[in-house]
Amino acid sequence: MFCQNCGADIGNSKFCKNCGAAVNRAKSSTQQRNAPNQQQVPTRQGNVTYFQQQIPPQRSASPTPVKAKKPIYKRWWFWLIAFFLLVGLLSPKSKKDATAATKEDAGNVKSISFYDTSDVTVRVGETTSDQYRQYVKYKANGGKEVTPEDVEFISENPEIATICLTEDSLSRFYYEITGIGAGETFVYVRSVDGSVATEKIKVIVPTPIQVERIEISIEKSEIAVGEALTPTVSIFPEDADDKAISWVSSDEAVATINEKGNITALSGGTTTITASSANGVSSSVEITVDGTKHLMQVKVTHPRDDDNNIGDEWSYKIEINGERPTSTMVLSPNDILNCWAKFSEDDSNPDVGEASKSYTIKEEDLMNGFTITMDLYVKENGGNNSGKSAHFIVTFDFSPVS
């Protein structure tokens, strides 16, 4: 055993007798085992001989390659930490903070709500504004004004019901819900940025009650050219939702019918008038137009044509074929018209005048119209104008109804 400090032989001693250094036997033994090729070289200094270990040069070992470290973004724990940090940043710290953030980002609209959130029942084709108006209640952010462009009205299923915005004269928003098809859906209003919204209203559109039967009745099945006729329609069941009826004539050269069900005869012949409901139920009636008969418009006038100062007030009685004339008459060729008129002066001793005339209708009269004229004289029976007459021209004008 040699001293590690000065190299002197110390045997089994715990301290070097030469330099007094403490001996670490474990380290020394390890060095001796790990260095078998070390040689002790004696060195003498004065009366003392020292032994030094001569260590032969060792071949330098190749450096051990260092393994490269992974980039931090490829470590699993990096992404785990990043995820929780992101969730913490995006999640509101409290419900109060979330509400404040919503109001801050709400644009012009601070809050919006319905006055009434009750369920709404509306039939197909009907609109809630037909029954009553429903208004929207809103508040604007400070210094701003809510306009129709700031809100949007939404139906979750527009095939069942739609909702739209309307503004009244007081600049209040009210909405209209229209039934489109049977079913149930929800409607609501929200700001265009989606930050605030109303509660949802349930809309119920019941299944429509369909038309099952249509009945048509008419006053007469035969009419004259120019004559008009309106059928009476009965729809069953009576509480059917859609009672709209469409009309059609099978031969519009004979007779036409408008959307209100008014028939107009145009020429001789037969046509079929059909009424149909929206769900395809229909009923028909046959109309015959007698081409030999025409509806004629009648106008009677009786201007006075004299300068005699006879009578101030008069009573008039006019007849055609013994009856008071109406505004229209159905006439045929060879019909005979007996026109008669009687005028009376209204006083205690009335003067009276009469006139009459007969006329046979020709076929061309029904196409072009015609006029019957009569001269009627009323003779004064006494007084300063005795013997003088009042002259009236009584005219009967007949023209075809177009």
Side-chain angles (χ1 to χ4, degrees), residues 97-329:
D97 294 340
T99 303
T102 300
K103 291 181 178 180
E104 181 180 354
D105 299 335
N108 293 348
V109 184
K110 183 177 182 180
S111 66
I112 187 167
S113 62
F114 290 117
Y115 278 95
D116 185 2
T117 57
S118 304
D119 294 352
V120 173
T121 300
V122 59
R123 295 185 178 276
V124 173
E126 291 185 353
T127 302
T128 53
S129 62
D130 296 338
Q131 308 165 10
Y132 53 88
R133 286 185 178 181
Q134 291 280 15
Y135 287 92
V136 177
K137 179 170 53 178
Y138 63 90
K139 289 183 180 179
N141 279 321
K144 298 180 180 180
E145 181 182 354
V146 176
T147 65
E149 290 74 22
D150 294 321
V151 294
E152 53 186 356
F153 286 65
I154 299 171
S155 169
E156 292 186 351
N157 191 340
E159 294 183 357
I160 294 177
T162 59
I163 180 171
C164 63
L165 170 68
T166 304
E167 190 174 2
D168 65 12
S169 58
L170 300 177
S171 298
R172 295 179 300 180
F173 296 151
Y174 74 91
Y175 58 90
E176 295 180 333
I177 298 175
T178 302
I180 304 299
E184 295 181 358
T185 188
F186 290 89
V187 296
Y188 61 97
V189 185
R190 71 182 179 191
S191 58
V192 292
D193 58 10
S195 58
V196 290
T198 64
E199 296 181 17
K200 294 183 178 181
I201 293 178
K202 184 178 182 180
V203 180
I204 303 167
V205 182
T207 301
I209 300 174
Q210 300 290 345
V211 175
E212 298 176 2
R213 189 173 85 257
I214 298 175
E215 293 182 359
I216 303 176
S217 60
I218 53 177
E219 295 180 9
K220 50 186 178 180
S221 60
E222 183 176 303
I223 56 178
V225 175
E227 199 169 0
L229 187 65
T230 301
T232 300
V233 182
S234 300
I235 298 175
F236 302 94
E238 295 181 355
D239 60 346
D241 285 314
D242 188 356
K243 295 183 179 180
I245 295 295
S246 59
W247 296 92
V248 64
S249 169
S250 63
D251 190 346
E252 293 190 344
V254 174
T256 61
I257 186 166
N258 61 17
E259 66 279 1
K260 295 182 179 180
N262 298 322
I263 301 171
T264 301
L266 301 180
S267 63
T270 301
T271 185
T272 300
I273 303 298
T274 302
S276 301
S277 65
N279 64 326
V281 177
S282 63
S283 181
S284 299
V285 64
E286 192 173 86
I287 298 292
T288 298
V289 178
D290 187 345
T292 65
K293 297 179 179 180
H294 289 254
L295 182 68
M296 307 295 287
Q297 187 172 12
V298 181
K299 184 179 180 181
V300 180
T301 59
H302 43 78
R304 184 170 173 175
D305 183 27
D306 67 80
D307 295 328
N308 297 326
N309 186 21
I310 299 175
D312 294 325
E313 297 181 0
W314 299 84
S315 297
Y316 309 99
K317 188 175 181 180
I318 300 173
E319 295 179 355
I320 299 177
N321 293 340
E323 296 182 357
R324 185 177 178 178
T326 58
S327 59
T328 59
M329 292 182 67

Side-chain angles (χ1 to χ4, degrees), residues 364-379:
E364 58 267 25
D365 292 336
L366 301 177
M367 301 298 296
N368 303 322
F370 60 98
T371 300
I372 301 173
T373 303
M374 302 187 305
D375 291 315
L376 187 149
Y377 295 92
V378 180
K379 187 176 181 180

